[in-house]
Amino acid sequence: MTKSSCYDATVMSPAPPRSGLREVTRRAVQAEIANTAMTLFVEQGYEETTIEQVAAAVGMSGRSVFRYFATKEDMVVGSMAQVGHDIAAALRTRPAEEPAWEALRRALDEPLRALNDDGGIALARSTLLTTTPALRAAQRQKHAQWNELLVPGITPRLEGSAASRQLQAEAIVAAALACLDVAVDEWTRSGGEKPLDELLDAAIAAVRG
Amino acid sequence: MTKSSCYDATVMSPAPPRSGLREVTRRAVQAEIANTAMTLFVEQGYEETTIEQVAAAVGMSGRSVFRYFATKEDMVVGSMAQVGHDIAAALRTRPAEEPAWEALRRALDEPLRALNDDGGIALARSTLLTTTPALRAAQRQKHAQWNELLVPGITPRLEGSAASRQLQAEAIVAAALACLDVAVDEWTRSGGEKPLDELLDAAIAAVRG
DNA sequence: GCCTCGGTTGTCAGTCACTGACAAGCTCGT
DNA sequence: ACGAGCTTGTCAGTGACTGACAACCGAGGC
């Protein structure tokens, strides 16, 4: 009965289109909460950290924290919604005649590089993600949303009836994101040593072999 | 801080190897709780149904319900753990030289048929699953466990170094299960009309095309 | 300078999933 | 019949999350 949250989160401001300055400060506060939370989570564990502790660390009431994040999990995975939109945007810039897999793979280049580059933080977050069941679940849910975001960019690259292309696109996107998950997991296990792009390419090659 | 649950669930009896009859009655009670819960969930919705209501309907205390199911979600998705083991077992019976994808696809034949056959209940459950975010998350977690169960049956069918085969196997299994998800989703949306096996084959063909 | 208005905040009270502890009851083997 | 082992209900508690309300704070109109 709790946490219906009805909308997504993180940018959980669909109703009031915040007016300029308000929005900026809101983002800032949101970012500070997220950072503080991440620090605490890494220090003492996700489950062992209460909302009250995070709130105290940022200097606000627990109630107010929930005015910035719909759920505790969103403090960690909230930003993934944005990444999903970025990938979808990148996909839209790919040439129309590019094959589905190729376009998808290229659309992942940018976020992949982002992960690989700021090694430290991304790796810490990824480790936290993979070691906390509740967070893994939340992460998977975000990925499912990526699916819906990416499918429209794939259907026009396929052949067959509309219904058939829909199913094909869903399958391809789901499989590609599954490969991404596998690659990121391996990357995380390797402590960020192995190059992410090669892992992803290997995963895709295995699937399509 | 809640629901660590440490072990899986449903068959959440790893410590005490229950002695014969005890185990039977336990399974029976478990099944009755699950059935009663499913009825209530379908009738009035998952989120809108409290544990207390389920407990009252079965005639026991809320506390005791949690002695049979680690979490509320497990009342719905608990049985999926068994299915995962079944698939893994089926995979082990496939000839060793059968290619990875083929063996995997064949190992899914049995559970697929089970879904398609008892149309009513499975479809109702599947519909509840797809319309309740919390349950979808739980379902995805179970699927992730299937991954780990199936990978060992795939690695020997691949080529390359041990590490390479591990990554390949993880990717293939994850992609195949992603295809399964897509197929089951479409099957659910079609009200059980479209044949599941054909949907799965179409999904796999799209991915590997 | 004051006042009002939209938005933000803290406080309080409540729901619900989930857990530990304990005492009482039931079942089984001997 | 009796004790060991399981199971059960009860009670008390934690923690995520929500609704309601009153107080506050900054920007615009007068």
Side-chain angles (χ1 to χ4, degrees), chain B residues 35-51:
Chain B
N35 289 336
T36 312
M38 269 302 297
T39 308
L40 288 175
F41 292 162
V42 170
E43 271 177 15
Q44 54 181 359
Y46 175 79
E47 313 270 13
E48 290 70 30
T49 306
T50 73
I51 297 283

Side-chain angles (χ1 to χ4, degrees), chain A residues 156-181:
Chain A
R157 299 168 197 274
L158 300 171
E159 295 169 0
S161 71
S164 162
R165 289 191 324 214
Q166 176 73 13
L167 183 72
Q168 288 179 58
E170 284 175 11
I172 292 174
V173 171
L177 292 183
C179 287
L180 178 63
D181 274 351

Side-chain angles (χ1 to χ4, degrees), chain A residues 1-2 18 22 26 59-61 63-64 67-68:
Chain A
M1 218 80 107
T2 331
R18 250 160 268 278
R22 298 279 192 193
R26 179 179 180 78
M60 54 182 0
S61 74
R63 186 70 183 86
S64 278
R67 291 186 172 114
Y68 288 91

Side-chain angles (χ1 to χ4, degrees), chain A residues 78-148:
Chain A
S79 60
M80 287 183 56
Q82 184 55 47
V83 177
H85 282 100
D86 292 348
I87 298 175
L91 186 58
R92 279 190 291 271
T93 71
R94 303 303 307 174
E97 66 280 2
E98 197 171 38
W101 272 100
E102 178 72 9
L104 211 36
R105 176 56 244 268
R106 292 280 77 83
L108 290 175
D109 266 337
E110 185 56 30
L112 230 56
R113 214 167 39 73
L115 264 191
N116 231 342
D117 285 5
D118 87 312
I121 300 177
L123 187 59
R125 194 221 292 283
S126 193
T127 306
L128 185 64
L129 261 293
T130 57
T131 54
T132 310
L135 287 178
R136 284 214 75 130
Q139 184 196 24
R140 278 191 272 267
Q141 192 192 330
K142 294 289 174 190
H143 273 204
Q145 294 174 3
W146 288 10
N147 265 318
E148 297 164 23

Side-chain angles (χ1 to χ4, degrees), chain B:
Chain B
M1 217 80 110
T2 332
K3 94 153 74 159
S4 349
S5 93
C6 119
Y7 294 103
D8 181 49
T10 294
V11 187
M12 65 187 235
S13 47
R18 251 162 267 278
S19 42
L21 186 103
R22 298 275 193 196
E23 182 63 17
V24 173
T25 63
R26 179 179 180 79
R27 300 273 193 193
V29 175
Q30 212 164 34
E32 185 179 341
I33 296 176
N35 289 336
T36 312
M38 269 302 297
T39 308
L40 288 175
F41 292 162
V42 170
E43 271 177 15
Q44 54 181 359
Y46 175 79
E47 313 270 13
E48 290 70 30
T49 306
T50 73
I51 297 283
E52 287 297 330
Q53 287 176 38
V54 176
V58 205
M60 54 183 359
S61 74
R63 187 66 183 90
S64 277
V65 168
F66 280 114
R67 292 186 171 113
Y68 287 90
F69 292 96
T71 69
K72 188 182 177 184
E73 289 128 20
D74 269 326
M75 293 176 205
V76 181
V77 302
S79 59
M80 285 181 58
Q82 184 55 47
V83 177
H85 282 99
D86 291 348
I87 299 175
L91 185 58
R92 277 190 292 272
T93 71
R94 304 302 308 176
E97 68 280 1
E98 198 172 38
W101 272 99
E102 177 73 9
L104 211 37
R105 175 58 246 266
R106 290 280 79 80
L108 290 175
D109 266 335
E110 185 56 29
L112 230 57
R113 212 166 43 69
L115 264 191
N116 231 341
D117 285 3
D118 87 312
I121 300 178
L123 187 60
R125 194 222 292 284
S126 192
T127 306
L128 185 65
L129 262 292
T130 58
T131 54
T132 310
L135 287 178
R136 284 215 75 129
Q139 185 195 23
R140 278 191 269 270
Q141 193 194 331
K142 293 292 175 188
H143 274 205
Q145 293 175 3
W146 289 9
N147 264 318
E148 297 164 24
L149 254 30
L150 298 183
V151 164
I154 294 297
T155 38
R157 300 169 196 274
L158 301 171
E159 295 169 0
S161 71
S164 162
R165 289 193 322 215
Q166 177 73 14
L167 183 73
Q168 288 180 57
E170 283 175 12
I172 292 175
V173 171
L177 292 183
C179 287
L180 178 63
D181 274 351
V182 168
V184 172
D185 274 9
E186 180 60 25
W187 176 76
T188 306
R189 274 196 297 269
S190 80
E193 290 302 316
K194 304 188 184 174
L196 240 182
D197 52 348
E198 289 178 18
L199 289 172
L200 178 56
D201 286 332
I204 293 178
V207 165
R208 310 204 61 205

